[in-house]
Structures are given as C-alpha cells and as structure tokens.
Amino acid sequence: MANINIIDVVAVLMMITSFAVFGLRQYRHSIQAYALQTLLLVIIFLALYFKYGTHELLIWAGTAFVIKVLFVPLYLMSLVKKLGLVVEDEPVGGFFISPVVALSFSLAVAMMLYKVFIHFSLFQDVLPLYAASFIFMMGIFGFILRNSFLKQILSYCLFENGIHLSLALMAYSSHELVEIGILTDAIFAVLIMSVLAKRFYAAYGSLDTSKAVNLRG
C-alpha cells in the first residue's frame, strides 16, 4: 500500500475520465467529466511539485484550476443551458462502436508514443507519459468520430489536456510564456468554437455537423 504512486493513480483516473468525456451521451455529464479530469491534472501538477520541488508547476496548478477547472466548464454548461441541449447527436459508427474504436486505437497509439516521449522527458514517470499520449489521442478521435459540435469542443479540450500534461512532464521549466500561451489558447479556442456552435445551431437547429451537407464541395 505504501508503494502506491499517487501520480500513477491520478494518471489512470485521467485516462478513465477522458473516455467518459468521449463516451457519455448527456452533455452535462460529459462536461462534468472534463472538469474532473482537469482537476486531476491540477493534482498531478501539485504532486510533481511536492515530489520534485518544481516551483513552476505550483503556478501551473493555480492558473489551470481557475481557467480550466472553473471557467471553461462553467462556460460550456451555460452554452448547453442556453441552447437547451441534453443528449449528443449520433456519432460516426454509433454510440457503441465509436467509443470502442477510439479506446482501442488510443491505447495502441499511446503505447508507441510514450516510448518516444520518455527519451525527451525531464521526469521519467512512465504511466503519466502514457496517459498524456492516450488523452491526446482520445481528443484526436473525438474530432474524427463525434458529429456533435459540442463534443468536438470537448475533444479539443482533451487534446489540450494531453499536451498540457506532456509538457509538464517533459519541459516544466519552459518559459512562463509557454504556460500562458497554452491557457490563452484554451480560452480563446473554446470561446470561438462556442460562438460558431451557436451560429451552427441557429442555422441547422442541431449541433450535428454531418447535417451541413450544403458546405461540401
């Protein structure tokens, strides 16, 4: 029991929540899973700070908590409430096949990527590096397999959390501008995509991007 590494445990929980963000049909539950995952990301920052004495990660934890645990989920919740959304539109391959495909390929690709990342990482923590790759890939497959505009926003957030975790493990000593850039990207990307989602919903009466057939060609 004493040998359990809290960072490894939290990394596994982050992988589980990324699958929940991808797979849960109700928008509110999916957003709550994202908020929980980002809280776990903050806990990893703090654990790395206490384990290695990395002052930079203490600052990362504080800013990530305010922006990604509080602001982004609350903003997305307000968007869901404003549009009166409850359940996600049918994804590519259906609600059963889509998560199976994403989970299988994300596990396989993460198995290859973490072996590359570990050569460049400042921290030689294998499981968190594997989790970072897995979360990154779940975000990629979210873009590919989910038709819902809101789920694609959440997929971007997963993608961004994977990058944030890998950066903390590989280059926590980067200049403060790097951290500011990541968080600024997260805010503006979510805001811009939310505006586009509202306009899409006003035009098509749905967030199902497959209905925009008149944009093809």
Side-chain angles (χ1 to χ4, degrees):
M1 188 71 179
N3 293 326
I4 293 177
N5 186 336
I6 184 66
I7 296 175
D8 288 347
V9 173
V10 177
V12 171
L13 292 175
M14 283 191 71
M15 294 171 64
I16 294 171
T17 51
S18 68
F19 184 65
V21 173
F22 182 96
L24 290 173
R25 300 182 188 184
Q26 291 204 14
Y27 287 120
R28 287 182 176 277
H29 293 167
S30 192
I31 295 170
Q32 288 165 354
Y34 166 71
L36 175 59
Q37 183 192 70
T38 311
L39 180 61
L40 293 170
L41 178 67
V42 170
I43 291 172
I44 285 190
F45 289 167
L46 291 174
L48 290 172
Y49 161 70
F50 285 114
K51 184 176 180 180
Y52 296 105
T54 50
H55 178 71
E56 295 88 345
L57 290 178
L58 183 60
I59 299 172
W60 287 33
T63 50
F65 180 80
V66 173
I67 294 174
K68 297 170 68 175
V69 177
L70 298 178
F71 176 77
V72 171
L74 288 174
Y75 181 78
L76 292 177
M77 280 290 191
S78 69
L79 178 65
V80 167
K81 184 178 180 181
K82 186 174 183 178
L83 297 181
L85 303 170
V86 179
V87 181
E88 173 187 2
D89 301 296
E90 184 81 7
V92 176
F95 282 111
F96 178 74
I97 297 298
S98 176
V100 171
V101 171
L103 181 63
S104 303
F105 280 93
S106 295
L107 287 171
V109 176
M111 183 65 74
M112 295 184 289
L113 287 181
Y114 93 90
K115 293 178 180 177
V116 177
F117 288 168
I118 201 165
H119 290 292
F120 304 98
S121 179
L122 294 173
F123 299 136
Q124 298 297 302
D125 295 88
V126 173
L127 197 52
L129 281 169
Y130 183 84
S133 304
F134 176 83
I135 296 165
F136 177 86
M137 291 310 304
M138 286 298 290
I140 295 292
F141 281 106
F143 273 115
I144 298 171
L145 299 175
R146 309 309 272 202
N147 287 334
S148 166
F149 213 131
L150 187 62
K151 270 303 181 82
Q152 291 182 353
I153 295 175
L154 285 168
S155 297
Y156 166 81
C157 293
L158 286 181
F159 173 81
E160 194 267 341
N161 269 359
I163 293 175
H164 211 168
L165 178 57
S166 61
L167 188 65
L169 294 163
M170 297 172 69
Y172 67 84
S173 58
S174 301
H175 195 278
E176 290 80 359
L177 287 176
V178 175
E179 169 69 358
I180 293 172
I182 291 175
L183 295 173
T184 304
D185 284 349
I187 291 176
F188 282 101
V190 169
L191 291 177
I192 292 171
M193 287 191 287
S194 298
V195 170
L196 294 174
K198 283 190 277 189
R199 292 188 175 185
F200 188 93
Y201 188 82
Y204 294 95
S206 169
L207 289 183
D208 186 349
T209 54
S210 66
K211 293 183 177 179
V213 291
N214 58 326
L215 297 180
R216 296 175 182 170

